[in-house]
Amino acid sequence: MFKTKIGNLDLETCIYNASGVYCVEFGELLKLADPGFSNSVILTKSCTLEPRIGNNLPRYYDTKLLSINSSGLPNLGYQFYCDNAHIIKEHSEFKKPYILSISGLTLEDNYKIITEAVNNNFIDGIELNLSCPNVIGKPQVGYDFTIMEEIIRKASEIIETGRDARLESGSGFLFGLKLPPYFDISHFDMACDIINNSNVQSLTCINSIGNGLVIDTEKELVAIAPKNGYGGIGGTVIKPTALANVHYFYRNTKCSIIGCGGISRGMDAFEHILCGASAVQIGTHFHKKRNVCFKEILTELGSIMKSKNYKTIDDFRGKLVHYK
Ligand code: RRO
């Protein structure tokens, strides 16, 4: 009922974690690999060349409707996520693809990490993160269309070369991007043009909405410490922006779309799929509820599908109705 495909990757269910939440440490990745949990992919925290401890605490805060974070890319370094891919996949009985999220601090760092990933047969693809809002002094690549085009072109070359070698061993490799939210149609179109001239296969829409400010009114204090309290906003309040991004990129590219933003119930996942998502990722709600959230959301989605007589997610994916 929930089977799906992103690029050439077959997934048992259409739900998994958003990068960043419970996917930094070895034990967290092992939990994501657990065949008893309904998530269908093991997606790592975005990694850099060197390990990072990230920004000062407190750097995460949530309310009923939203979360704010300025984690600052804490991760164990790409070598850790590459070297442990086979152990973590083995724990999933090789049923869940292992996708490396990458957010190198320089273009060269990204190319180095992508080369390592495509040459590792236990890594099934990358989600190149063009949208981290929280590294001080590093603007989001997804908002600089010149650099975005350059990084995608070079990443494509590396991946094509690596794919040829993998073909002999029979395993595919997904080239995905994680995009920032776009708000203006001209920006949507510029991003689509670049993507349509590349061999990118999947788009995760959207990363957190950058540089929001949340206030703890009782203390009259910013909710998080780094960057004077500015951070990426996630959770229920970002769902309309996420849906618009899913919808636009679904209609204007050939990529598989992975919806991310404001999903805590089956109906939220249903809406993302109606807009064109082939799968959904859970961030803020996963942070709150841990691994049980995947099954809960799928159970609710299953009831909605049953009540509407849909047997597979392809029966309604992208079928949102518009006024004439
Ligand atoms: O680590 C972070 O601060 C972070 C990242 Br890399 C990202 O892509 N999105 C986000 O909200 N936080």
Side-chain angles (χ1 to χ4, degrees):
M1 186 177 208
F2 301 119
K3 278 189 196 301
T4 190
K5 217 173 163 97
I6 49 173
N8 294 325
L9 274 188
D10 289 311
L11 304 185
E12 281 303 306
T13 73
C14 59
I15 193 165
Y16 57 102
N17 64 299
S19 175
V21 184
Y22 303 132
C23 57
V24 178
E25 313 276 345
F26 184 70
E28 293 170 341
L29 291 165
L30 278 187
K31 271 206 184 117
L32 289 176
D34 191 324
F37 289 112
S38 315
N39 62 303
S40 57
V41 171
I42 308 155
L43 175 62
T44 72
K45 169 69 183 171
S46 297
C47 64
T48 49
L49 210 56
E50 301 297 334
R52 287 171 58 88
I53 55 170
N55 293 339
N56 290 340
L57 300 176
R59 60 192 187 192
Y60 188 92
Y61 178 91
D62 65 354
T63 67
K64 198 158 175 260
L65 292 179
L66 60 77
S67 64
I68 182 167
N69 89 85
S70 182
S71 306
L73 213 34
N75 76 94
L76 301 177
Y78 83 107
Q79 207 70 60
F80 170 85
Y81 300 104
C82 292
D83 290 350
N84 286 291
H86 70 288
I87 303 175
I88 294 162
K89 270 194 78 162
E90 197 169 22
H91 196 69
S92 85
E93 297 161 7
F94 297 99
K95 287 197 178 115
K96 300 185 190 184
Y98 182 92
I99 298 185
L100 186 71
S101 171
I102 301 175
S103 189
L105 296 180
T106 66
L107 293 179
E108 290 309 321
D109 288 1
N110 282 306
Y111 305 149
K112 188 165 179 190
I113 301 171
I114 295 167
T115 306
E116 176 95 10
V118 73
N119 285 300
N120 180 329
N121 278 328
F122 294 101
I123 298 180
D124 299 285
I126 60 163
E127 185 181 88
L128 182 58
N129 185 353
L130 302 184
S131 48
C132 173
N134 298 330
V135 177
I136 295 159
K138 296 275 172 195
Q140 293 179 65
V141 172
Y143 290 145
D144 181 332
F145 293 109
T146 308
I147 309 243
M148 179 168 159
E149 185 162 25
E150 184 183 336
I151 190 172
I152 292 175
R153 186 181 42 74
K154 180 72 184 174
S156 299
E157 278 171 29
I158 297 169
I159 289 169
E160 282 316 312
T161 311
R163 268 202 193 117
D164 290 343
R166 290 173 76 97
L167 277 182
E168 285 160 27
S169 72
S171 70
F173 190 82
L174 180 78
F175 179 18
L177 303 178
K178 176 127 176 210
L179 296 177
Y182 294 102
F183 304 96
D184 190 279
I185 298 299
S186 67
H187 295 162
F188 279 119
D189 287 337
M190 281 193 263
C192 287
D193 277 351
I194 294 171
I195 290 158
N196 287 331
N197 281 312
S198 76
N199 53 7
V200 169
Q201 297 163 302
S202 73
L203 303 172
T204 303
C205 303
I206 56 176
N207 209 321
S208 59
I209 300 183
N211 298 302
L213 183 63
V214 174
I215 296 171
D216 178 337
T217 46
E218 188 147 327
K219 297 183 188 147
E220 301 178 14
L221 179 69
V222 290
I224 55 170
K227 289 177 67 183
N228 286 325
Y230 293 179
I233 306 294
T236 301
V237 299
I238 77 164
K239 189 173 72 173
T241 302
L243 291 176
N245 277 260
V246 168
H247 184 251
Y248 204 91
F249 284 103
Y250 174 72
R251 286 166 64 92
N252 293 287
T253 71
K254 293 200 161 54
C255 295
S256 303
I257 310 295
I258 300 141
C260 181
I263 303 171
S264 62
R265 308 297 303 259
M267 193 55 91
D268 304 318
F270 182 77
E271 287 180 74
H272 270 264
I273 297 166
L274 256 192
C275 285
S278 296
V280 295
Q281 294 179 355
I282 316 298
T284 299
H285 192 65
F286 177 34
H287 191 274
K288 209 172 266 177
K289 290 288 185 95
R290 298 195 173 242
N291 301 53
V292 294
C293 74
F294 304 119
K295 174 119 189 265
E296 285 173 1
I297 293 170
L298 279 188
T299 303
E300 288 182 5
L301 178 62
S303 307
I304 295 163
M305 287 169 61
K306 224 169 168 189
S307 73
K308 290 174 177 277
N309 220 4
Y310 293 136
K311 305 239 167 346
T312 71
I313 68 164
D314 280 343
D315 290 347
F316 62 100
R317 183 167 55 84
K319 305 227 164 104
L320 180 66
V321 180
H322 306 107
Y323 285 104
K324 296 266 182 289

